């Protein structure tokens, strides 16, 4: 039988005597190497902001996608292994469109996240569709449901997802989360939420913050209906940064 931790962590389906699955824990550690992402939920809508790591002056910044649209009313930010996130995002998009086509209604943010977590949990299953290891990516899923409720959910490589008012993931998540806990309040407006996201990134980023090395996504509520999720233009980000 397995004798030490190094032997228990070889299999993704094997519990250690302490009740731990080391491969999942290692995947969660991989998130701490990724870019910092921040999400904030307000009564007016939700916002996401992510750091773009530009490692070479020859790199085209617009080719680094850290915030993507899942459906008209849902977007997500990711941190960790971006190649892994593409599988989860493609799955989420197909689920959202299939639900709309079948039931003629928009899929809720939580239902989309649950379908993604079901895929994230399928690692180690012996079929062609499943991954042979846990997905090394954490996701912030944000949007406004058809009932007008704004939702922010965080999902980690274990497949666990939880609702948050404000959440940070990635390399600077500890400092960012501490700042969010101090400054976030439920009554803040969406514009205040966007500024707080940018302030948090400004504090934890190693490079000087600019419209080139961050991405911002917003889904603003329109009355009691979901608004459209969209990425904020470069000029608008410059104006927001100038107002900080």
């Amino acid at each position: 039988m397995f004798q030490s931790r190094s032997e228990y962590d070889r299999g993704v389906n094997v519990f250690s005597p302490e009740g731990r699955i080391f491969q999942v824990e290692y995947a969660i550690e991989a998130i701490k190497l990724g870019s910092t992402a921040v999400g904030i939920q307000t009564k007016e809508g939700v916002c996401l902001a992510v750091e773009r790591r530009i490692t070479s002056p020859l790199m085209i910044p617009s080719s680094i996608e850290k915030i993507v649209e899942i459906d008209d009313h849902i977007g997500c930010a990711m941190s960790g292994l971006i190649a892994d996130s593409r599988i989860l995002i493609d799955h989420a998009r197909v689920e959202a469109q299939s639900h709309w086509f079948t039931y003629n209604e928009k899929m809720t943010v939580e239902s989309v996240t649950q379908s993604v977590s079901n895929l994230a949990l399928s690692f180690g299953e012996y079929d062609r569709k499943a991954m042979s290891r846990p997905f090394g990516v954490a996701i912030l899923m944000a949007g406004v449901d058809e009932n007008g409720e704004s939702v922010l959910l965080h999902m980690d490589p274990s497949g666990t997802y939880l609702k948050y008012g404000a959440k940070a993931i990635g390399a600077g998540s500890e400092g960012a989360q501490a700042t969010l806990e101090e400054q976030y309040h439920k009554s803040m407006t969406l514009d205040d939420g966007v500024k707080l996201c940018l302030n948090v990134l400004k504090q934890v980023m190693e490079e000087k913050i600019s419209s080139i090395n961050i991405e911002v996504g917003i889904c603003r509520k329109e009355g009691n209906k979901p608004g459209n999720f969209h990425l904020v233009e470069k000029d608008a980000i410059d104006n927001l940064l100038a107002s900080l």
Side-chain angles (χ1 to χ4, degrees):
M1 281 299 291
F2 296 127
Q3 303 254 323
S4 67
R5 172 174 173 154
S6 62
E7 290 170 328
Y8 276 109
D9 65 11
R10 288 177 189 168
V12 293
N13 296 323
V14 180
F15 282 95
S16 75
E18 296 86 30
R20 297 160 69 184
I21 301 178
F22 289 118
Q23 285 295 316
V24 173
E25 292 184 20
Y26 296 157
I28 292 169
E29 286 299 311
I31 311 305
K32 295 177 183 176
L33 304 174
S35 303
T36 307
V38 183
I40 289 180
Q41 176 261 338
T42 70
K43 290 180 180 178
E44 295 179 2
V46 285
C47 58
L48 297 168
V50 188
E51 169 194 7
R52 281 177 175 157
R53 283 187 182 160
I54 301 166
T55 54
S56 165
L58 301 177
M59 191 182 286
I60 309 295
S62 60
S63 66
I64 305 170
E65 284 188 312
K66 295 294 177 78
I67 299 178
V68 296
E69 183 181 309
I70 302 296
D71 201 352
D72 290 341
H73 64 300
I74 304 173
C76 89
M78 71 285 287
S79 181
L81 296 173
I82 301 305
D84 284 10
S85 73
R86 290 196 193 105
I87 299 170
L88 299 177
I89 287 160
D90 287 348
H91 177 78
R93 285 171 170 167
V94 170
E95 287 290 316
Q97 294 308 308
S98 298
H99 185 92
W100 173 78
F101 187 78
T102 306
Y103 301 107
N104 195 29
E105 66 175 14
K106 297 287 185 185
M107 201 171 182
T108 65
V109 182
E110 185 167 354
S111 296
V112 172
T113 310
Q114 185 173 0
S115 73
V116 173
S117 79
N118 290 341
L119 176 60
L121 279 169
S122 66
F123 63 84
E125 293 177 6
Y126 298 104
D127 61 32
R128 288 179 295 174
K129 292 182 182 178
M131 286 274 279
S132 58
R133 57 167 174 77
F135 288 88
V137 66
I139 285 176
L140 291 176
M141 198 78 74
V144 180
D145 290 332
E146 285 200 320
N147 62 5
E149 182 188 1
S150 54
V151 182
L152 175 69
L153 288 139
H154 166 248
M155 192 198 81
D156 66 20
S158 69
T160 305
Y161 65 91
L162 294 167
K163 280 186 181 180
Y164 280 88
K167 180 65 178 171
I169 55 175
S173 59
E174 288 185 14
Q177 195 66 32
T179 306
L180 288 172
E181 287 171 7
E182 288 173 11
Q183 299 185 20
Y184 172 79
H185 52 89
K186 291 182 180 178
S187 60
M188 69 178 4
T189 64
L190 183 57
D191 292 336
D192 289 340
V194 174
K195 286 181 180 177
L196 178 55
C197 277
L198 296 178
N199 262 323
V200 169
L201 281 184
K202 187 178 181 180
Q203 288 177 22
V204 299
M205 281 173 61
E206 293 174 4
E207 302 291 326
K208 186 182 177 183
I209 191 169
S210 72
S211 58
I212 295 169
N213 61 9
I214 62 166
E215 250 184 313
V216 181
I218 291 174
C219 188
R220 190 184 293 274
K221 197 189 299 184
E222 296 174 359
N224 281 330
K225 295 181 179 179
N228 283 333
F229 182 86
H230 67 278
L231 291 174
V232 179
E233 296 291 333
K234 185 173 176 288
D235 293 340
I237 294 174
D238 280 326
N239 293 334
L240 285 166
L241 292 172
S243 67
L244 294 181

